[in-house]
Amino acid sequence: MENFLHIDLNIWQFLVFVVVGTLTGIINTIAGSGSLITLPVFIFMCDLSPSIANASNRIGVFLQSVVATGKYAQSKPEVFKGSLWLIIPSVLGAILGSKIAVDIDEKTMSYTIGGLMVFMLIILLFKPERWLIEDKLTKAQNKNIGTFITFFLIGIYGGFLQAGVGFFLLAGLVLISKYSLTQSNGLKLALVLAFTAPALALFMYYGKVHYGYGLLMGIFQAFGAWLGVKYIVKIPNANLWIYRLLIVIVAASAIKFFV
């Protein structure tokens, strides 16, 4: 435990934590894939193993999700109505995924996620009008086996890696559950919070979490999440801007994993 509390950063490295944490908190709140920035910092700057970095990253994800979901619920509480049918399979899947992540093959994981990002980019570019729908579906239309299986599988991925899970959640919410992108973004925050909690608990149980670096990054991610939600609630044409940001980050993520 003592080694997992020790922080060894100079002033410039601390500033990297401030910038990266705040930026990823904003990115994860607006779209997703901020973990593609924090993971390299944990691995290359903090010298953590991939499995420890993957687990420690969940502290920041959890903290920013608490802040973002709470603030989003204050401004648009109606978005979360009927979300239990989505949360339950996601949590069950995350428990399974986090157990798999205890022993990760880093190379296989990188190529797998890179392939998934390419797939997501194709989905985003194909019939973009699907992502700009403003009509809201009643919660009863979410209660089907297809939705349950979809979010169970997404939960497995979220528990396993986390990086990029926001894209898959948005895809499921928009293309399967037919929510608008703005509403899907709010539900995404709640779902990430719900399945990150048990995943983090499991990683802690197996002694995979570096609490010092994880908490330090998490503080700035929580601040970034607060900024992100405050900005996204007020921005005009939020659907369009989120869609554009999704394309940029997904494309960059796919290139990063393969290169």
Side-chain angles (χ1 to χ4, degrees):
M1 175 65 71
E2 188 172 324
N3 290 335
F4 280 1
L5 291 172
H6 179 68
I7 297 177
D8 184 17
L9 299 174
N10 59 38
I11 184 63
W12 298 110
Q13 291 171 328
F14 178 79
L15 289 176
V16 169
F17 262 66
V18 174
V19 174
V20 168
T22 303
L23 179 62
T24 55
I26 294 172
I27 290 175
N28 282 335
T29 301
I30 297 177
S33 201
S35 293
L36 294 174
I37 303 175
T38 55
L39 285 176
V41 171
F42 284 136
I43 294 172
F44 299 113
M45 195 175 79
C46 302
D47 199 27
L48 301 182
S49 69
S51 61
I52 299 298
N54 180 42
S56 304
N57 184 57
R58 309 307 173 97
I59 295 180
V61 172
F62 177 76
L63 292 178
Q64 71 186 24
S65 297
V66 170
V67 172
T69 303
K71 190 162 182 61
Y72 207 102
Q74 290 179 353
S75 59
K76 297 183 179 181
E78 69 279 0
V79 169
F80 302 106
K81 292 181 179 179
S83 60
L84 189 61
W85 185 257
L86 306 174
I87 290 175
I88 292 176
S90 298
V91 170
L92 293 176
I95 294 173
L96 176 59
S98 57
K99 286 184 178 179
I100 298 173
V102 170
D103 186 18
I104 295 178
D105 181 337
E106 181 69 14
K107 186 175 182 180
T108 301
M109 178 181 67
S110 294
Y111 283 115
T112 299
I113 304 309
L116 289 172
M117 288 298 166
V118 172
F119 175 70
M120 283 302 305
L121 182 60
I122 293 173
I123 291 179
L124 283 168
L125 295 175
F126 180 68
K127 292 188 177 181
E129 65 272 12
R130 294 183 180 182
W131 294 87
L132 304 176
I133 298 172
E134 289 293 349
D135 296 330
K136 183 176 180 180
L137 214 61
T138 61
K139 60 182 180 180
Q141 292 172 294
N142 286 322
K143 296 181 179 179
N144 56 72
I145 189 63
T147 297
F148 192 94
I149 293 175
T150 296
F151 285 90
F152 176 74
L153 294 175
I154 294 174
I156 292 177
Y157 174 77
F160 173 69
L161 183 64
Q162 179 67 43
V165 71
F167 297 135
F168 302 114
L169 285 171
L170 289 175
L173 290 165
V174 172
L175 303 180
I176 304 298
S177 298
K178 306 299 183 183
Y179 283 103
S180 72
L181 188 53
T182 300
Q183 293 163 331
S184 296
N185 197 62
L187 283 170
K188 178 205 71 178
L189 299 174
L191 288 167
V192 170
L193 173 60
F195 67 63
T196 297
L200 176 59
L202 192 143
F203 286 127
M204 292 169 65
Y205 175 79
Y206 281 101
K208 294 286 187 178
V209 178
H210 192 294
Y211 296 95
Y213 290 125
L215 284 170
L216 182 61
M217 185 71 78
I219 291 172
F220 299 116
Q221 285 182 260
F223 174 67
W226 178 81
L227 291 177
V229 174
K230 183 178 181 180
Y231 178 68
I232 215 173
V233 169
K234 296 181 179 180
I235 188 172
N237 302 317
N239 275 13
L240 181 60
W241 287 106
I242 296 173
Y243 172 71
R244 290 171 176 172
L245 184 59
L246 279 172
I247 293 177
V248 172
I249 297 179
V250 170
S253 299
I255 294 172
K256 181 177 179 62
F257 271 109
F258 283 116
V259 173

